[in-house]
Amino acid sequence: MAYSDKVIEHYNNPRNVGSFAKDEPNVGTGVVGAPECGDVMKLQLKIGDDGVIEDARFKTFGCGSAIASSSYVTELVKGKHIDEAITIKNTVIVKELNLPPVKIHCSVLAEDAIKAAIADWRKRKADHAASSEEQLPKSKEA
Amino acid sequence: MLKKPVYMDNHATTRVDSRVLDAMVPYFIEKFGNAASRNHSFGWEAEEAVDRSRNQIAALIGAKSKEIIFTSGATESDNLAIKGVVEFYKDKGNHIISCVTEHKAVLDSCRALERAGKATVTYLPVDKYGMVDPDAVRRAITDNTVLITIMWANNEIGTIHPIAEIGRIAKEKGIIFHCDAVQAIGKVPVDFEKAGVDLASITAHKIYGPKGIGAIYVRSKGPRVRLTPQMDGGGHERGMRSGTLNVPGIVGLGAACEIAGMEMPEEARRLIQLRSQLQAGLFERLDEIYVNGHPTERLPGNLNVSFAYVEGESLLMGINDIAVSSGSACTSATLEPSYVIRALGIDDELAHSSIRFGLGRFNTLEEVDYVTDRVSKEVKRLREMSPLYEMAKEGIDLKSVNWKS
């Protein structure tokens, strides 16, 4: 099949490939897809206390369009507030990369990855807050 | 200097051998006659060429020349064999035995008969090497069985089935045995008479001949096999396949068979050497790669490998100056990986990661070295990008992960 120039460009020069340390408190990790479906995307967002996405990394197992979709998304979300990033629709990715109909699912996966990463960050933040509260009474007792 | 792109997809099709083309050329302009024209020299010339071709084909496959019926290719031959037998022998029964890794032309012919209510079909499984068990064939036979259809060698993984054993069982039970021998003829020794094959499909373009011409072998004695024609018309080819003969194509198929017969031992030896080199080179440079198919009972030019943690289509994209094919079905709307690879019982993830290398007559050692290098580098690059590779290296069992898809 013929790939668009933009897909090929992202495939050859993927942006922000890699991983942040998972235990960094301000990192949210989203892993979507499944190996047996031939697509797994891992998107990590480094998010400031103000909710602004400072940095992003990805790793993707999948076709060229899946790699390009995740690469593009890391560029797209940087500098955005999570409230804005969470509204990003897959159609933006489809349009930017000229994805054909059979590759729409790659863009859907990328959209899901953003949501999953933000949800993970929120959960970790909430857990962190909860565990600090738990620790407070303890320290009083001591 | 290496010429690019490198073609290593010889199970899909092959380049026409210039000797084949040279043999064909006169039959387009000087000797353009219709082989069915009985009353002038143009017709006689064409008929003579067709007869010569029948002899050349018959000599390669252990057949008599009158047992060769020309068709447009293997898809037509498979359709004619399967539908032709089921329709002709409908009073004897309606059960077919086939196998899950057959070519689509066989599987879809069977399914068409099932849909039309004309046949019931048993699709036998294969072992982890892609081989069908002859005993399973025996066990599947019922009083209603009229046809066994099993390929000689598989087009994706190169596995060669125990055809002679299946042929013996078919003879013993008096059941007609069709064999799609497209990938095998000209590559490995094939003798339909000895193997107990009653019908066989062959095509020219897999053996360095032209596209659009093939044949079906139809046993004439012990038993004499009958078929209901699927094409009505002038009654060519002993009434089994009407239509003016494609004389230049037929000449090409004959020439291709003759060359294959002469060069097979040397060519097979050379291809096995190239394949071993390719396989050894990949295994030397990469960990976690797996060969799909049989370790020894395999077509000389075939190497099918799964590169764990790398998706096949993305790998093809990275090695775009090399023509190979992938079992990843990312390009298809179904998103299902190759049904042949899945039938081996390996994980779907590895099926998505499979690449088929098809070495052929015109491949060189230099090309093999280039492909080894290029593929290894790209697999390494993609693994650096693969979350699965990262997880595996961290010691996470990918099967224990609860994937949200």
Side-chain angles (χ1 to χ4, degrees), chain B residues 178-209:
Chain B
H178 166 249
C179 179
D180 179 335
V182 163
Q183 297 288 344
I185 68 148
K187 314 289 169 62
V188 291
V190 163
D191 188 321
F192 295 136
E193 168 60 33
K194 269 196 201 147
V197 170
D198 301 311
L199 290 161
S201 305
I202 70 177
T203 194
H205 77 101
K206 311 281 192 192
I207 54 167
Y208 315 98

Side-chain angles (χ1 to χ4, degrees), chain A residues 1 3 7-8 11-12 14 17 19 22 31-38 40 42 59-64 67 103 105, chain B residues 309-311 313-315 317-318 330-331 333 335 348-349 352-353 378 381-382 384-388 390 394 403-405:
Chain A
M1 72 180 303
Y3 297 96
V7 168
I8 293 169
Y11 174 84
N12 288 330
V17 177
S19 299
K22 267 183 295 194
V31 180
V32 293
E36 60 266 31
C37 303
V40 176
K42 187 186 82 168
K59 283 202 175 190
T60 290
F61 163 83
C63 65
I67 290 171
K103 297 298 185 186
H105 72 276
Chain B
Y309 317 121
V310 172
E311 198 277 330
E313 191 193 328
S314 67
L315 179 53
M317 195 173 163
C330 240
T331 39
L335 301 178
D348 277 3
E349 181 231 320
H352 281 292
S353 305
E378 193 58 26
R381 184 181 88 97
L382 289 170
E384 285 310 308
M385 229 189 274
S386 166
L388 303 181
E390 180 181 68
E394 285 168 4
W403 299 102
K404 291 162 278 181
S405 58

Side-chain angles (χ1 to χ4, degrees), chain B residues 122-310:
Chain B
T122 302
Y123 301 96
L124 295 174
V126 291
D127 66 13
K128 63 177 177 174
Y129 299 127
M131 201 180 265
V132 75
D133 176 7
D135 281 332
V137 175
R138 185 189 291 278
R139 285 193 299 272
I141 295 172
T142 71
D143 293 343
N144 245 339
T145 307
V146 287
L147 180 70
I148 297 169
T149 173
I150 308 277
M151 63 189 359
W152 198 293
N154 185 271
N155 50 305
E156 286 192 36
I157 53 175
T159 298
I160 299 170
H161 287 300
I163 291 301
E165 273 183 73
I166 298 167
R168 252 196 312 279
I169 294 164
K171 284 286 145 302
E172 194 185 300
K173 302 277 183 181
I175 294 163
I176 292 171
F177 179 22
H178 166 249
C179 179
D180 179 335
V182 163
Q183 297 288 344
I185 68 148
K187 314 289 169 62
V188 291
V190 163
D191 188 321
F192 295 136
E193 168 60 33
K194 269 196 201 147
V197 170
D198 301 311
L199 290 161
S201 305
I202 70 177
T203 194
H205 77 101
K206 311 281 192 192
I207 54 167
Y208 315 98
K211 292 164 187 63
I213 184 71
I216 178 167
Y217 157 81
V218 183
R219 183 182 283 273
S220 61
K221 222 173 119 187
R224 175 181 171 218
V225 177
R226 313 286 299 276
L227 294 172
T228 299
Q230 302 296 308
M231 191 88 83
D232 296 310
H236 306 74
E237 297 298 271
R238 295 169 39 226
M240 285 189 251
R241 204 279 194 174
S242 287
T244 297
L245 292 180
N246 167 6
V247 178
I250 288 168
V251 169
L253 174 56
C257 285
E258 187 174 295
I259 295 167
M262 285 185 313
E263 302 189 348
M264 191 194 301
E266 168 57 24
E267 189 165 295
R269 196 191 55 74
R270 197 181 73 87
L271 289 181
I272 288 171
Q273 209 173 354
L274 288 182
R275 180 187 67 196
S276 307
Q277 180 105 358
L278 177 59
Q279 186 173 335
L282 292 171
F283 272 78
E284 219 168 83
R285 288 170 177 76
L286 297 166
D287 62 343
E288 298 219 50
I289 68 176
Y290 307 91
V291 173
N292 300 311
H294 202 282
T296 54
E297 295 302 303
R298 178 185 206 102
L299 290 173
N302 177 278
L303 181 64
N304 191 310
V305 179
S306 285
F307 299 91
Y309 317 121
V310 172

